[in-house]
Amino acid sequence: HSCVRQLTDHKNKRQAMQQEILAPTPLLNSDGTLSQPGWARQPHWQYQRQAIRAPRWRIKEWDYYAVLCADQQLGITLTVADLGYAGLFALCFLDFANRSFTQVDSLTLLPLGKLGLSADNHQGRIRHQSAALSIDIDLQPGCRHLRFAAPGLTCADGRRGLAGEILLQQPATLESMNIATSWAENRRAFYYNTKINCMPASGGFSLGGQQHSFDPQRDSGVLDWGRGVWTYANTWYWASASGLVAGEAFGLNFGYGFSDRSPASENVLVYRGNIHKLDQLQFHFDRHDWLKPWRISSNDGRVDLAFIPLLDRNSHLNALLMVSEQHQVFGHYQGRVILDDGEVLHIDALLGFAEEVRNRW
């Protein structure tokens, strides 16, 4: 097919087929199965909620942003999620110097597609207002405007009241990781996801009257945009980081553990705005001690990284039908990676995160 490219490394027999999608295409066939599974450098698949052949409460949609500042040792994350059973809005302040995090959540019952999450990841507006939390995400060409406030948030050092505005720039030339895969046991269950690394961040926030600012020459944000129908029980692994390597914008996105990844993986490096595609990766860590150093390796030898944890942002939920255990561990990456052309990059103290999430939902 002219809109699909098969990528293989014939020098490495362990590397699987990677199906790259090159042009816009509908996400789903008329029977609710994926039209073309694979990966892409741009969000080519056209998501239509009405084309899904599954109950509304089985559909999962989310937008997640993380903006980190290594120099100030802090970060902000924003989550908007429609999980069918429940809607979640969350704002989290990360304090790496004190190795603590503070989060405010706001929940709604049975949103079923009513939260305003858009059918694509580059336009639309999401607004939420409650006594505890307000979130306003405005997507415009080339930028993402995040506004948020949690007047009652109180962090570990006693500071109270968080509010801010962050602008994430998204240049037209910046490539992103996009993937569409299904589950072998149910081809109408699918995962459509975009991850955008290396978006320069400006603006800032105040916490307890103290102002913190982001510098777009130094600080950046990441977006995790997901839409799909999931099977009930899954475990996923995800790692992400964005920053500067040898003075150039660099990011990584690694993920695996769920759905049928035989058409493609979501493992990529981002360097100078371009995607460098990887095959399969594995996280090596101790589930009994999340703050012990991790190691991340790849089957093609192009990734050899240590991950040194600073903070375990964890949560546990047991609400009958919905059960979740999440460990999003923030820390620093160090080691080496190899680009598509064979260039070796040496990574030192790159701030990011790696996580394990176990869900029954």
Side-chain angles (χ1 to χ4, degrees):
H1 196 288
S2 61
C3 297
V4 178
R5 179 168 60 195
Q6 306 284 358
L7 300 180
T8 56
D9 181 353
H10 298 294
K11 296 180 181 179
N12 189 336
K13 299 301 184 182
R14 295 174 298 174
Q15 183 160 347
M17 189 74 71
Q18 299 277 326
Q19 180 164 283
E20 182 179 1
I21 306 303
L22 303 175
T25 182
L27 177 66
L28 300 175
N29 297 313
S30 60
D31 63 357
T33 60
L34 285 178
S35 63
Q36 293 188 46
W39 73 281
R41 301 170 195 270
Q42 300 294 337
H44 287 318
W45 292 273
Q46 298 155 358
Y47 175 76
Q48 294 178 300
R49 187 182 175 100
Q50 63 269 27
I52 295 174
R53 299 294 179 259
R56 289 187 298 164
W57 52 270
R58 296 298 308 150
I59 301 173
K60 316 298 179 188
E61 302 177 335
W62 69 81
D63 292 14
Y64 168 83
Y65 291 90
V67 186
L68 308 181
C69 177
D71 281 15
Q72 299 182 69
Q73 298 188 70
L74 53 80
I76 293 287
T77 72
L78 279 174
T79 305
V80 179
D82 183 336
L83 305 178
Y85 311 107
L88 169 67
F89 297 86
L91 171 63
C92 183
F93 168 67
L94 302 157
D95 183 346
F96 302 124
N98 293 311
R99 303 199 174 199
S100 65
F101 70 95
T102 309
Q103 181 163 316
V104 173
D105 299 324
S106 180
L107 296 172
T108 62
L109 183 64
L110 297 174
L112 301 174
K114 300 176 183 177
L115 298 187
L117 292 163
S118 60
D120 59 54
N121 61 59
H122 57 269
Q123 63 182 350
R125 192 160 192 178
I126 304 169
R127 292 187 176 113
H128 171 75
Q129 181 75 48
S130 69
L133 176 64
S134 66
I135 291 177
D136 184 348
I137 301 174
D138 188 9
L139 309 182
Q140 300 291 338
C143 66
R144 299 168 182 274
H145 199 165
L146 316 178
R147 301 178 181 90
F148 49 88
L153 181 145
T154 304
C155 61
D157 60 12
R159 287 180 292 171
R160 180 181 177 88
L162 174 66
E165 294 188 33
I166 300 173
L167 185 67
L168 298 179
Q169 302 169 27
Q170 186 181 348
T173 55
L174 178 61
E175 295 182 339
S176 57
M177 190 295 302
N178 304 271
I179 189 171
T181 56
S182 64
W183 274 257
E185 63 271 29
N186 178 3
R187 291 303 182 186
R188 290 184 179 178
F190 68 90
Y191 166 70
Y192 177 30
N193 183 236
T194 294
K195 303 274 189 17
I196 307 175
N197 291 78
C198 303
M199 291 184 288
S202 57
F205 62 93
S206 63
L207 177 60
Q210 181 178 358
Q211 187 68 33
H212 299 275
S213 298
F214 292 107
D215 181 350
Q217 300 300 316
R218 175 196 65 200
D219 306 322
S220 57
V222 62
L223 168 66
D224 171 14
W225 183 94
R227 304 291 187 266
V229 173
W230 288 59
T231 56
Y232 180 60
N234 287 280
T235 299
W236 77 64
Y237 301 92
W238 178 36
S240 180
S242 296
L244 297 176
V245 172
E248 300 284 352
F250 172 83
L252 60 84
N253 183 86
F254 305 151
Y256 68 99
F258 64 96
S259 78
D260 176 8
R261 298 301 176 95
S262 58
S265 78
E266 67 176 79
N267 302 317
V268 301
L269 306 172
V270 185
Y271 188 55
R272 297 173 177 170
N274 296 318
I275 290 289
H276 296 256
K277 191 70 179 66
L278 302 167
D279 190 41
Q280 305 301 320
L281 287 102
Q282 186 172 2
F283 299 178
H284 311 268
F285 61 95
D286 185 348
R287 294 196 77 253
H288 301 289
D289 186 351
W290 295 97
L291 297 180
K292 285 180 62 175
W294 298 34
R295 188 171 68 87
I296 298 180
S297 62
S298 65
N299 66 337
D300 54 19
R302 292 176 56 189
V303 175
D304 186 8
L305 292 172
F307 176 65
I308 312 302
L310 295 170
L311 168 65
D312 175 19
R313 178 193 177 204
N314 60 82
S315 65
H316 303 264
L317 171 68
N318 191 339
L320 298 179
L321 285 176
M322 292 183 65
V323 180
S324 178
E325 178 185 355
Q326 305 186 27
H327 292 270
Q328 185 180 35
V329 182
F330 291 83
H332 292 110
Y333 288 92
Q334 60 187 42
R336 64 157 182 82
V337 297
I338 301 176
L339 303 180
D340 285 345
D341 62 2
E343 181 181 358
V344 178
L345 297 182
H346 295 280
I347 311 301
D348 182 31
L350 178 68
L351 182 62
F353 55 85
E355 69 180 30
E356 180 195 79
V357 177
R358 294 171 177 253
N359 282 334
R360 285 187 285 157
W361 60 351

